[in-house]
Amino acid sequence: MVARQEVSAWRPRVPGVAEVLHARFTGHAYPMHVHDVWTLLIVDDGAVRYDLNRREHGTPHDTVSLLPPQVPHNGSSATARGFRKRVLYLDLTQLDEDFIDPAADSPDIADPLLRRRVGQLHTALARRGDELEAESRLALIGERLRGHLRQPRPAADPRATGRGVAGDLRELLDERLPHGLTLDEAAKLLHAHPTHLVRAFTTAFGIAPHQYLTARRVECARRMLLDGRPPAEAAAASGFCDQPHLTRHFKRFLGTTPGRYARSSGSLAGRALGLPDGLIRAGTRTSATPGSRPTEC
């Protein structure tokens, strides 16, 4: 089967929603990566398997998957025919950091009402002028998610607390995102041996420091692209040495090039219905959402 990718992404004028992504993939597999926002995922066709928090998960029918920020995950099709998904990236105003651990323990929620509400929110987000409806539906979704996440959970793994130098390194990488730093520089700043830093970080977060930094830079670049920044400018501002450097990693993470991603807003009808023919293939013209705020790393 020939690998097929269709991507549509935009930033709506709705507080709390950082990005909307509709995509269809037949051959793309996401490498391990992280987001600094919540990922609310529904799969309309096919199924997705992914690893999160060192455990394998899937997306059975009518499941809503909530992937927390700062927890590494990957993703690929569970079948040969690929999958079609709709994703909302929600900022921390919708769910705060207290819900990260419960979501990492149980990211897949079997709740038909929640699944229906998420679909209705996607429809509202696709219609300009329906921002109040979208905000209202988002509020109901947030309430239901918090209800699921507040349910009793198994006791936390003590290894997940007090991450010490690994957490310090993550904060340092976030602070130095555009400019970066060498391992020796990090070791001196954190008073730790370089090898210990790499091992501690990988053990704590399930992803190597360089993988984390690259994933965060791709995350930063994709938001700039949706704000209308040219790929070369987004590459430099997010810490890549040039546009080809960004393109190489961007394709690994998102299955398409930065330029095509930036031109992928798609038709309003396709956004509303989430249909394959409404997802605009690589090469369609788009522009940043009016009123969207400029993004910096």
Side-chain angles (χ1 to χ4, degrees):
M1 179 182 292
V2 177
R4 182 183 180 188
Q5 291 85 32
E6 299 171 357
V7 176
S8 178
W10 71 98
R11 300 188 70 188
R13 299 171 61 181
V14 174
V17 182
E19 182 182 336
V20 182
L21 173 70
H22 294 178
R24 180 177 181 178
F25 293 115
T26 58
H28 178 64
Y30 290 94
M32 292 297 291
H33 62 286
V34 295
H35 301 286
D36 60 356
V37 292
W38 292 88
T39 302
L40 188 63
L41 163 72
I42 56 176
V43 176
D44 295 311
D45 187 35
V48 175
R49 66 147 310 277
Y50 64 94
D51 298 303
L52 176 81
N53 205 26
R54 296 182 175 86
R55 293 196 295 272
E56 183 173 339
H57 300 275
T59 57
H61 184 62
D62 283 343
T63 295
V64 175
S65 296
L66 180 67
L67 282 56
Q70 303 296 351
V71 180
H73 60 277
N74 55 14
S76 61
S77 177
T79 66
R81 63 191 181 92
F83 62 91
R84 179 163 51 89
K85 68 175 183 176
R86 288 180 284 171
V87 186
L88 298 172
Y89 295 98
L90 307 178
D91 64 32
L92 293 177
T93 63
Q94 302 304 303
L95 294 168
D96 61 39
E97 294 180 345
D98 291 340
F99 295 109
I100 289 179
D101 286 342
D105 289 337
S106 303
D108 300 312
I109 304 170
D111 182 340
L113 177 58
L114 177 61
R115 174 67 171 76
R116 184 164 65 253
R117 285 179 174 174
V118 173
Q120 291 169 336
L121 176 55
H122 276 278
T123 300
L125 289 169
R127 298 190 301 244
R128 186 169 298 176
D130 286 350
E131 287 80 10
L132 180 58
E133 177 186 347
E135 290 179 26
S136 301
R137 294 193 181 282
L138 179 61
L140 293 174
I141 289 169
E143 178 185 56
R144 197 158 184 90
L145 287 171
R146 287 188 288 273
H148 279 287
L149 296 173
R150 287 191 180 115
Q151 293 177 3
R153 304 284 174 179
D157 185 342
R159 292 174 299 176
T161 61
R163 283 170 170 165
V165 71
D168 293 340
L169 178 56
R170 184 171 69 178
E171 291 180 4
L172 188 58
L173 292 173
D174 288 339
E175 291 172 2
R176 304 291 184 90
L177 187 62
H179 306 292
L181 77 167
T182 68
L183 187 58
D184 282 343
E185 288 172 336
K188 291 176 182 176
L189 288 169
L190 299 177
H191 308 289
H193 192 277
T195 304
H196 175 64
L197 279 182
V198 174
R199 287 177 175 166
F201 192 97
T202 304
T203 299
F205 301 117
I207 189 172
H210 72 277
Q211 294 173 309
Y212 176 84
L213 181 62
T214 300
R216 293 282 288 108
R217 284 174 168 172
V218 169
E219 184 91 345
C220 181
R222 67 191 283 186
R223 293 180 187 166
M224 292 184 183
L225 293 169
L226 292 180
D227 279 342
R229 307 266 295 265
E233 184 179 321
S238 57
F240 293 97
C241 62
D242 53 27
Q243 186 174 338
H245 187 208
L246 167 63
T247 298
R248 185 170 73 252
H249 289 292
F250 202 92
K251 288 182 70 175
R252 286 183 56 244
F253 282 93
L254 291 162
T256 189
T257 65
R260 288 173 174 172
Y261 190 83
R263 296 191 297 268
S264 68
S265 285
S267 68
L268 291 178
R271 293 180 194 169
L273 299 177
L275 298 174
D277 55 1
L279 295 177
I280 298 302
R281 293 168 176 77
T284 301
R285 178 67 180 169
T286 189
S287 59
T289 302
S292 61
R293 59 193 181 281
T295 299
E296 300 293 342
C297 292

